[in-house]
Amino acid sequence: MNMASSATALKDVEPQPRAATKATRPIELAGSFLHNGHRLAYTEFGGGERVVVLAHGFMLTRRMHAPLARKLARAGFRVFTLDLLGHGESDRPTESWLYSMPAFAEQTVGLLDHLGIDRAVVGGTSLGANVALEVAVASPDRLHGLVVEMPVLDNAIVAGLLTFAPLLFAARFLPVSVQGVAAVASLVPHGNQWVDVVTDTLRQRPAPMAALIHGVLFGRTAPPKSVRREITAPALVIGHQRDPIHPFGDADTLAADMPNAEFIQARSPVELRLDPKRLTEAIADFLGRCY
């Protein structure tokens, strides 16, 4: 084949879909900053003026929100996922007084300060949902809106104690058990999104883990009902049934408490993780209206 025919043949070849997908994938950048002397890690997805910050669940890491962050970045939002103190790649001090919902809210606002961002939509799941509520109470002027998935409020206290008190006991008095689980988790190969999320969670160190659980369990869980009623930021509340740690009643009641909240019911606790299309579209639509 001569050069002319080769050029023609190459011109006629259609680009492969995989290459096109990679070309349009939003940029992802990892970073960190110091807050009150402790290093906190975050990842940035996409770009633009419409900023969203996502906080993870208890003992999980920012990796859990990566799929949602990528989808929102493709929709034109600049998304940050943050490892709160004691989680993921952030520092893990051993003093329990450093861990609380208000402290996590300060760290979230600290990320905005570090980035030079005046206002954002702040969202989160479980612990991250409560952190978003604390941001709304402490720094309402920094918010465009809230995305609150699976909040942990009054109806979840007993289930939370039953679930996490044994972990606190193990971390305090049976540290070898925590170390053993972490050692096994470190042997699991990386590469699958949700396998990585689980192994990240299992790789704990006893002293910081005990301090984290103690600080969260015996501190302020969430703003009280009288205070929640004064949160005026636009809010999207997501709840589901059949989960004692994240009762449907907590999410439904929260949406009724806040004057500018709307409620959407998830089909299951894992819908946003395993079948995310419906909820992701609802979140993206809400974010667009916030801006």
Side-chain angles (χ1 to χ4, degrees), residues 13-271:
V13 175
E14 294 184 0
Q16 296 299 312
R18 180 174 294 180
T21 300
K22 287 184 178 179
T24 58
R25 181 168 178 169
I27 190 170
E28 298 180 15
L29 298 172
S32 66
F33 68 104
L34 287 179
H35 180 78
N36 292 338
H38 296 109
R39 176 182 172 274
L40 301 177
Y42 65 90
T43 301
E44 176 181 1
F45 301 79
E49 300 297 321
R50 301 185 298 172
V51 178
V52 182
V53 178
L54 298 175
H56 51 75
F58 187 47
M59 296 178 65
L60 296 169
T61 74
R62 71 186 193 274
R63 194 193 298 265
M64 71 170 290
H65 282 311
L68 175 61
R70 291 182 183 118
K71 291 181 174 68
L72 295 178
R74 290 191 184 99
F77 298 95
R78 184 185 180 195
V79 186
F80 293 89
T81 58
L82 172 65
D83 277 338
L84 298 164
L85 192 68
H87 297 81
E89 296 179 327
S90 293
D91 283 349
R92 301 189 180 207
T94 57
E95 297 85 6
S96 61
W97 63 269
L98 291 170
Y99 300 105
S100 69
M101 297 299 176
F104 293 146
E106 290 178 8
Q107 294 159 27
T108 304
V109 175
L111 173 63
L112 297 180
D113 292 339
H114 166 72
L115 298 168
I117 295 171
D118 291 331
R119 300 174 68 197
V121 174
V122 175
T125 300
S126 189
L127 175 141
N130 290 33
V131 171
L133 294 174
E134 293 287 0
V135 173
V137 172
S139 303
D141 58 319
R142 307 302 295 271
L143 290 178
H144 279 295
L146 297 167
V147 178
V148 181
E149 184 198 13
M150 303 193 299
V152 182
L153 304 178
D154 309 310
N155 295 316
I157 293 175
V158 174
L161 286 172
L162 292 175
T163 300
F164 294 108
L167 297 180
L168 175 58
F169 180 89
R172 289 283 191 210
F173 302 110
L174 298 171
V176 66
S177 63
V178 176
Q179 294 166 339
V181 171
V184 172
S186 67
L187 300 176
V188 178
H190 279 264
N192 177 278
Q193 163 69 23
W194 297 113
V195 170
D196 291 348
V197 168
V198 172
T199 55
D200 284 349
T201 301
L202 295 177
R203 285 200 295 269
Q204 300 288 335
R205 298 192 296 273
M209 174 180 166
L212 170 65
I213 297 174
H214 184 276
V216 170
L217 281 187
F218 298 103
R220 167 162 150 157
T221 304
K225 190 179 188 71
S226 59
V227 175
R228 298 196 296 263
R229 287 174 171 167
E230 299 176 0
I231 297 175
T232 59
L236 178 66
V237 181
I238 302 172
H240 58 264
Q241 296 182 333
R242 300 181 295 278
D243 180 352
I245 297 179
H246 310 100
F248 180 84
D250 276 352
D252 185 48
T253 301
L254 176 64
D257 287 342
M258 296 190 295
N260 295 313
E262 52 193 89
F263 180 77
I264 182 169
Q265 182 174 346
R267 299 188 183 102
S268 75
V270 296
E271 181 181 354

